[in-house]
């Protein structure tokens, strides 16, 4: 199964005119790979931070069902794949790289 996170980064690198490896190195150097990369269930705060949105907005997407989540004990977890899938749907629906 291909990683859905590599497509947007590849497109960003292409739009910027830089090699994807260089962009990945820059992101890593700037702390873009913080946290455990093996996590499969993110907290709401982690998922919101990854998406660059507020927790309230993320809760709106969770309650509408646009992004699935699950309760684990008393905590709500958002699957990493759900975040990636949501962003992919948004990119394909709204068109990548177009200005508003």
């Amino acid at each position: 199964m291909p990683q859905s996170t590599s497509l947007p980064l590849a497109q960003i690198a292409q739009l910027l005119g830089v090699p994807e490896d260089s962009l990945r190195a820059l992101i890593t150097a700037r702390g873009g790979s913080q946290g455990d990369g093996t996590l499969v269930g993110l907290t709401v705060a982690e998922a919101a931070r990854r998406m660059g949105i507020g927790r309230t907005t993320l809760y709106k997407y969770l309650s509408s069902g646009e992004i699935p989540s699950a309760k684990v004990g008393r905590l709500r977890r958002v699957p990493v794949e759900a975040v990636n899938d949501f962003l992919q749907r948004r990119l394909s629906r709204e068109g990548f790289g177009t200005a508003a």
Side-chain angles (χ1 to χ4, degrees):
M1 175 193 286
Q3 278 187 338
S4 58
T5 57
S6 63
L7 181 61
L9 190 60
Q11 289 176 338
I12 292 168
Q14 183 181 16
L15 288 171
L16 293 174
V18 298
E20 184 178 347
D21 293 340
S22 298
L23 184 57
R24 282 188 192 282
L26 177 64
I27 290 169
T28 301
R30 294 282 184 138
S33 62
Q34 295 173 357
D36 185 354
T38 62
L39 288 177
V40 295
L42 304 170
T43 65
V44 172
E46 290 168 336
R49 186 172 51 250
R50 244 182 213 213
M51 296 173 68
I53 61 175
R55 288 183 320 136
T56 304
T57 302
L58 182 58
Y59 274 115
K60 181 183 80 170
Y61 292 133
L62 296 174
S63 64
S64 72
E66 284 191 74
I67 301 176
S69 66
K71 292 234 10 179
V72 179
R74 296 182 336 168
L75 302 174
R76 179 148 309 273
R77 297 292 180 189
V78 181
V80 172
E81 295 83 16
V83 171
N84 295 337
D85 292 344
F86 174 80
L87 292 174
Q88 285 293 341
R89 286 193 312 271
R90 283 294 176 110
L91 286 173
S92 64
R93 185 182 331 148
E94 296 173 4
F96 185 80
T98 57

